[in-house]
Amino acid sequence: MTQDKYELLRDVFGYPGFRPGQEALTDALLSGRDALGVMPTGAGKSVCYQLPALLLPGVTLVISPLISLMRDQVNALIQMGVRGAYINSALSERQCRKALDNACQGMYKIIYVAPERLPTPGFQRLAQEVEISMVCVDEAHCVSQWGQDFRPSYLKIPEFIAGLPRRPAVGAFTATATRQVREDIAALLELEDPEVVVTGFDRPNLYFGVERPKDKYQALREFLLNRPDRPGIVYCLARKTVEEICGRLCSDGFSATRYHAGLEAEERQRNQDDFLYDRRRIMVATNAFGMGIDKSNVSFVVHYNMPKDLESYYQEAGRAGRDGSPADCVLLYNGRDVRVNQYLINQEEDKQELDPETKASLRQRQEERLHRMTIYATTLECLRSNFLRYFGETPPRSCNHCSNCLYRSEMVDLTQEARSACAFVGRNRSRVGLHLAAAALRGSKENRVVRLRLTADSDYGSLGHLSLERTEALLRELIERNYLARDDGEYPTLTLGSEARELLSGGDRVQVNLPKEMKPDKPVPTEALPADPELFRALKELRMTLARKYGVPPFVVFTDTALREMSAQKPRDMQGFGRITGVGEVKSQRYGKAFLEVIAEYL
Ligand code: ADP
């Protein structure tokens, strides 16, 4: 192989450079080492194994749980000029045999395969006959019982690898970042001293919002009207809701389609394609839709119901803005969603043929995750900071790009108030709880305040200018930052925390995220205007024509980001065209002339 990894990245994939984490994972796999990549959806996991696959001898197997995922990935590879194939139950017996024969003759560099296929005789023959230099496990969290998508067939993977004539490098990739799942992946897939890369989970181009509308449908309708022509997904918990919402949207004149596991396979495929090929703008679906759908121009993901955990939420919401453009992720929350999820957890338990102990602990984990999701849906703190902490990061306290930071809460300097509160607690150590302290600080005349003579304290009433909600929020914040502490005696009371001295001696400043006291503004839709709208539109039309001609979804030809860049840079020759992100050699040859013509005509 004469090309090096940078050339391949540029010429085949059309990327100007590696994104964070990609190079370390690529290098590890290239040197024959195992690797574990934990990156959020849209970060670019596929190139981490596709690129080494092209440089290593023999063939790479990619084990992947979903048929639609394989088809799209392989289509995209073929578009880039890479010899790829997939083997799964979507192929007929004959097609399957043909693919295996081709594979045995070394026709492919990358083969996607469903885990259930690994033990079959045809596949076992392949495994013995061709050199498999790398095995990559996509959506690797499916191996863990603690993950949100446990698949028992994933547990068979190590056995398959152990049966190979030579142990290949093993790569595992997931977007699920909790430590337990990560450890499970390494242990259950028997990774040997893997290079572990966990990249930041933040996706700065995504706006996060939680709304609690009285009428969810009207809120959705308004949201969609604010974003004419933008493609996006609406997730619902139940099939029934999908049917209802899709029906209402269609009769309200929106271009919508639907997807859930209760539809015939043929309709599912058709509806999915309508969305992928930009024939329908809105996909209304249950969580059955989307794993592996990497339509890059999804501009919003609305959750009509709260999903069962933050892992699912972030994975589904993360399908927005994969091309790096600004996109909106909005959850329409209602307390009923919690009960429906609880019901679903109970249902699931009935179905599992597991021993009672495992059942009980699985259920407990699910309930904990649901609780954590509910906190996200109801918190006042920065939403981004809330989920990033769940994924093990230490983000800034405020992102200024979520509904809480922008509309529901504000950072307020409460240093003076914090000092008063600490001084008050210092004088009344272990006598008052949080609510009573808040009441006294605000100057309440309620019975217990008077009885405990808190009215005589020098800080009685000193926080009278704050609402009760704000005062309690301040006290909770002071506990979290160790200025105050809880004293869990017979009744939980407050005492001074380890940092109190610093605050009382005038050292620290205290800024707190508090509920806004004015009426929240309406969220403004995020706009991602192309640099030159008219040219962008012309390029999109050409892309649609080419996509039809080659029978692939438009984004497989070029992503919206690539078109936007073209419309901004207006390249005049092949060289300039080749510099656009996402334009590799094969695509340049295949499409360059046509796109350059449209640009020239426009100029
Ligand atoms: P994941 O599997 O992590 O969800 P993908 O592999 O599907 O992500 O990549 C997401 C998007 O990022 C794709 O549109 C891909 O073309 C783009 N991408 C990946 N790596 C790079 C890179 N190094 N430079 C530019 N774009 C990239």
Side-chain angles (χ1 to χ4, degrees):
M1 193 54 78
T2 50
Q3 279 185 306
D4 76 1
K5 59 181 180 183
Y6 299 109
E7 284 170 348
L8 270 185
L9 188 68
R10 195 187 57 223
D11 297 345
V12 177
F13 295 90
Y15 302 150
F18 285 106
R19 284 185 180 165
Q22 286 180 333
E23 189 165 13
L25 290 162
T26 303
D27 285 348
L29 291 168
L30 269 178
S31 70
R33 233 184 110 183
D34 287 359
L36 170 57
V38 185
M39 297 169 155
T41 310
K45 288 183 281 293
S46 0
V47 76
C48 301
Y49 52 84
Q50 289 173 348
L51 193 140
L54 300 185
L55 286 170
L56 289 170
V59 57
T60 286
L61 295 184
V62 182
I63 300 169
S64 168
L66 275 188
I67 293 174
S68 60
L69 171 90
M70 296 186 209
R71 199 191 51 166
D72 287 349
Q73 293 262 4
V74 170
N75 263 339
L77 284 175
I78 293 172
Q79 282 288 309
M80 293 189 284
V82 174
R83 288 174 288 133
Y86 58 83
I87 297 180
N88 61 33
S89 57
L91 300 183
S92 68
E93 196 58 35
R94 218 171 59 92
Q95 288 171 315
C96 208
R97 225 175 322 147
K98 179 99 181 86
L100 282 169
D101 284 347
N102 287 344
C104 285
Q105 286 165 26
M107 292 238 321
Y108 306 124
K109 282 306 285 178
I110 304 184
I111 301 174
Y112 280 74
V113 58
E116 296 78 17
R117 284 273 145 176
L118 298 175
T120 58
F123 212 81
Q124 286 292 329
R125 181 172 67 100
L126 172 81
Q128 301 305 319
E129 284 185 16
V130 290
E131 180 185 0
I132 296 176
S133 40
M134 181 164 66
V135 171
C136 281
V137 186
D138 204 7
E139 312 287 356
H141 58 273
C142 293
V143 76
S144 168
Q145 285 207 8
W146 305 123
Q148 75 275 27
D149 273 314
F150 174 52
R151 279 164 200 261
S153 57
Y154 262 56
L155 293 169
K156 300 267 183 228
I157 296 173
E159 200 178 303
F160 170 80
I161 293 173
L164 293 174
R166 205 170 62 89
R167 189 181 184 279
V170 181
F173 293 86
T174 179
T176 302
T178 49
R179 220 188 60 221
Q180 181 146 27
V181 173
R182 212 182 298 162
E183 285 170 1
D184 249 12
I185 293 173
L188 294 172
L189 291 178
E190 297 172 11
L191 299 184
E192 292 175 4
D193 181 31
E195 167 81 27
V196 181
V197 173
V198 185
T199 62
F201 264 63
D202 190 17
R203 300 261 313 275
N205 61 318
L206 300 184
Y207 161 86
F208 287 91
V210 176
E211 291 176 28
R212 300 161 190 73
K214 285 220 170 59
D215 183 339
K216 281 193 186 186
Y217 182 76
Q218 283 315 323
L220 173 66
R221 202 170 154 268
E222 204 170 307
F223 179 94
L224 296 173
L225 286 172
N226 274 328
R227 289 160 184 74
D229 302 331
R230 297 201 161 265
I233 308 173
V234 178
Y235 278 112
C236 309
L237 263 184
R239 298 174 189 181
K240 188 165 101 259
T241 323
V242 169
E243 297 288 336
E244 182 202 325
I245 301 307
C246 183
R248 287 179 77 176
L249 287 177
C250 288
S251 55
D252 277 347
F254 290 98
S255 159
T257 183
R258 58 189 183 165
Y259 190 105
H260 61 70
L263 299 175
E264 293 291 325
E266 199 187 321
E267 184 186 346
R268 272 205 311 260
Q269 187 65 50
R270 193 172 58 235
N271 296 352
Q272 173 174 319
D273 286 347
D274 280 347
F275 180 63
L276 291 185
Y277 287 72
D278 292 340
R279 292 189 291 258
R280 293 284 169 131
R281 166 164 98 94
I282 302 158
M283 170 57 89
V284 187
T286 60
N287 64 0
F289 175 77
M291 209 199 223
I293 300 295
D294 84 6
K295 183 177 163 73
S296 59
N297 65 340
V298 174
S299 164
F300 61 84
V301 171
V302 173
H303 278 78
Y304 200 81
N305 305 105
M306 181 182 81
K308 64 188 193 317
D309 48 40
L310 267 173
E311 286 90 342
S312 312
Y313 180 67
Y314 201 49
Q315 192 172 51
E316 287 156 19
R319 294 190 180 122
R322 289 177 87 131
D323 58 2
S325 310
D328 301 321
C329 308
V330 174
L331 165 63
L332 302 180
Y333 173 75
N334 174 322
R336 220 179 82 87
D337 296 339
V338 183
R339 294 193 292 278
V340 176
N341 273 299
Q342 185 62 53
Y343 171 79
L344 292 176
I345 291 176
N346 299 346
Q347 291 287 99
E348 213 172 284
E349 192 198 19
D350 292 342
K351 273 190 274 161
Q352 277 162 356
E353 299 106 27
L354 296 169
D355 62 272
E357 211 174 300
T358 316
K359 251 189 195 172
S361 78
L362 265 179
R363 186 193 166 118
Q364 194 195 340
R365 302 288 302 197
Q366 283 175 319
E367 281 174 356
E368 280 165 19
R369 284 204 294 262
L370 175 58
H371 178 64
R372 194 54 194 71
M373 180 73 231
T374 314
I375 291 181
Y376 173 86
T378 51
T379 185
L380 268 176
E381 72 168 346
C382 166
L383 293 173
R384 186 174 251 102
S385 151
N386 181 282
F387 65 71
L388 287 177
R389 263 191 286 115
Y390 179 65
F391 291 133
E393 297 188 12
T394 35
R397 304 177 66 81
S398 169
C399 74
N400 270 325
H401 195 37
C402 73
S403 56
N404 281 357
C405 285
L406 291 174
Y407 315 111
R408 293 196 65 224
S409 62
E410 57 192 337
M411 265 304 186
V412 184
D413 190 310
L414 290 180
T415 311
Q416 231 9 298
E417 288 81 353
R419 284 199 189 115
S420 299
C422 273
F424 173 85
V425 170
R427 285 186 295 272
N428 297 286
R429 243 171 270 200
S430 307
R431 284 181 74 213
V432 295
L434 190 141
H435 299 293
L436 194 54
L441 284 162
R442 295 188 64 250
S444 156
K445 297 210 164 51
E446 70 182 69
N447 254 342
R448 283 188 310 154
V449 173
V450 178
R451 217 172 49 230
L452 286 172
R453 283 192 233 284
L454 299 174
T455 41
D457 190 281
S458 55
D459 271 303
Y460 171 78
S462 63
L463 269 55
H465 58 290
L466 294 184
S467 67
L468 182 62
E469 197 183 14
R470 286 191 154 207
T471 310
E472 292 190 355
L474 169 65
L475 293 176
R476 275 193 294 271
E477 186 71 26
L478 293 177
I479 294 171
E480 193 167 304
R481 295 200 215 168
N482 295 322
Y483 292 121
L484 296 180
R486 285 186 204 273
D487 184 359
D488 289 324
E490 191 181 347
Y491 303 102
T493 54
L494 294 177
T495 180
L496 288 180
S498 52
E499 304 295 313
R501 187 189 293 266
E502 189 62 29
L503 180 67
L504 287 170
S505 63
D508 291 351
R509 297 209 71 73
V510 179
Q511 292 200 319
V512 190
N513 232 336
L514 289 177
K516 266 203 178 156
E517 288 186 330
M518 39 200 166
K519 244 180 120 40
D521 301 320
K522 265 257 156 277
V524 249
T526 324
E527 263 306 317
L529 275 184
D532 190 328
E534 206 178 314
L535 177 56
F536 181 65
R537 218 169 304 136
L539 295 172
K540 258 172 107 172
E541 252 166 52
L542 170 63
R543 176 177 69 174
M544 184 57 109
T545 316
L546 292 170
R548 281 210 193 95
K549 178 168 157 200
Y550 288 99
V552 293
F555 64 84
V556 170
V557 176
F558 285 124
T559 61
D560 280 11
T561 314
L563 295 193
R564 212 165 277 137
E565 213 176 301
M566 285 177 212
S567 81
Q569 309 216 339
K570 306 188 180 59
R572 287 153 197 265
D573 50 27
M574 280 303 225
Q575 220 179 357
F577 192 72
R579 279 196 292 269
I580 303 285
T581 307
V583 178
E585 250 167 31
V586 174
K587 284 194 185 180
S588 198
Q589 274 167 22
R590 188 171 296 160
Y591 305 125
K593 201 162 149 280
F595 279 89
L596 285 172
E597 267 168 23
V598 169
I599 295 169
E601 204 172 296
Y602 176 81
L603 287 174

